């Protein structure tokens, strides 16, 4: 029996043209609150994480506004418009998860983890190998 590599659904990433308007919409519609607001130059986005659920098992809605049209999210918006960009799954050890998934034949967009939201280590998997879904692995930052 193969042990599961994924520990939880960490977040859904949603591409938007106007981050402030999207935040206001999610706050007004669902009563969600922003727990993190960051600019990630490496990924070319301004992003907000809005908490969903309780303290013990939080999940997030991640709103992503591109810093420019030539960024991955900028190109996504041009091709597809606003909407679901990716799904992020929690993993206990991102290095082990990448190794285990890679040997199963899924292409890794990131061979090594990189910096993600709220200090997490992240890596993306190729959507063509996962039913057209861009998939992100997330190892949460150590709370210490």
């Amino acid at each position: 029996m193969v042990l599961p590599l994924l520990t939880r659904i960490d977040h859904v990433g949603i591409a938007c043209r106007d981050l402030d308007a999207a935040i206001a919409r999610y706050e007004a519609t669902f009563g969600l609150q922003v727990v993190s607001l960051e600019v990630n130059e490496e990924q070319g986005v301004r992003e907000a994480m809005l908490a969903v659920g309780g303290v013990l098992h939080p999940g997030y809605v991640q709103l992503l506004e591109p810093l420019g049209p030539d960024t991955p999210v900028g190109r996504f918006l041009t091709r597809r418009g606003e909407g679901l960009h990716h799904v992020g799954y929690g993993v206990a050890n991102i290095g082990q998860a990448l190794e285990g998934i890679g040997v199963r034949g899924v292409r890794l967009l990131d061979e090594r983890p990189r910096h993600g939201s709220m200090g997490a280590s992240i890596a993306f998997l190729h959507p063509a190998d996962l039913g057209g879904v861009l998939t992100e692995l997330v190892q949460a930052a150590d709370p210490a």
Side-chain angles (χ1 to χ4, degrees), residues 99-111:
E99 184 178 325
I101 292 167
V103 298
R104 292 181 177 123
V106 173
R107 288 175 283 173
L108 310 176
L109 295 178
D110 295 304
E111 300 273 329

Side-chain angles (χ1 to χ4, degrees), residues 15-17 64 66 72-83:
C16 60
R17 287 186 174 86
L64 302 159
V73 174
R75 289 187 295 273
F76 176 90
L77 284 170
T78 299
R79 283 192 317 273
R80 299 188 181 167
E82 293 186 308

